[in-house]
Amino acid sequence: MKKFMEEFRAFALRGNVMDMAVGVIIGGAFSGIVTSLTDNFINPILNMCTGHEMYSLQDMAGFVSAFLSSVVNFFIMAFILFCLMKVVNKAAGLGKKKEEETPLAAPAVKICPFCKSEISVEATRCPFCTSEILKEE
């Protein structure tokens, strides 16, 4: 049973599974904004254009308030999800920088001791001042 739980943890905390979960949650929260936009702005404008229904200034203020409420709900959901992902990544060890695993690359350029220009490491003569470069050992 312990091995099963370890395998499940490894599966659930894999990057692509967590990305998909975040995408589904953010998509659901964003659909609330789209629904509010259509219900509170587009439908009233279409109703006024077709003469079906007239709205007062108080009605329009209510529509704006409802839309802003859905936008605030989206940002609250996104912030909570962000905080949750930081905790999950920290628990899974994904948030740590692994400096020891990334070896430093050998420099591709060096400085000419005579004119101080950047030249290739393999150069035996500086292309700028034509000075002969001695091999450093």
Side-chain angles (χ1 to χ4, degrees):
M1 186 69 172
K2 186 177 179 181
K3 182 176 169 117
F4 176 78
M5 291 305 287
E6 288 175 7
E7 289 176 359
F8 177 74
R9 180 178 172 264
F11 166 76
L13 296 179
R14 245 188 329 183
N16 52 358
V17 173
M18 297 304 288
D19 291 343
M20 184 181 68
V22 168
V24 168
I25 293 170
I26 291 292
F30 190 73
S31 72
I33 291 178
V34 173
T35 301
S36 177
L37 178 71
T38 56
D39 290 346
N40 297 314
F41 284 111
I42 296 173
N43 286 345
I45 290 171
L46 291 176
N47 286 338
M48 286 191 319
C49 290
T50 59
H52 183 265
E53 191 174 343
M54 296 304 288
Y55 297 99
S56 68
L57 201 55
Q58 283 182 334
D59 293 335
M60 294 308 280
F63 293 150
V64 169
S65 174
F67 177 71
L68 290 178
S69 174
S70 67
V71 170
V72 167
N73 286 341
F74 172 77
F75 282 117
I76 289 171
M77 177 70 76
F79 179 72
I80 290 171
L81 191 59
F82 171 75
C83 292
L84 182 67
M85 289 305 299
K86 288 202 53 99
V87 168
V88 168
N89 285 343
K90 193 171 187 178
L94 299 175
K96 296 179 184 175
K97 292 182 182 178
K98 298 185 179 181
E99 297 174 12
E100 62 274 358
E101 287 185 12
T102 56
L104 295 176
V109 293
K110 63 181 176 182
I111 304 295
C112 173
F114 301 102
C115 68
K116 305 298 182 199
S117 300
E118 286 187 357
I119 59 174
S120 174
V121 174
E122 299 169 356
T124 57
R125 198 173 276 278
C126 178
F128 300 103
C129 67
T130 67
S131 299
E132 193 172 332
I133 309 295
L134 300 174
K135 278 268 195 198
E136 297 175 8
E137 295 182 36

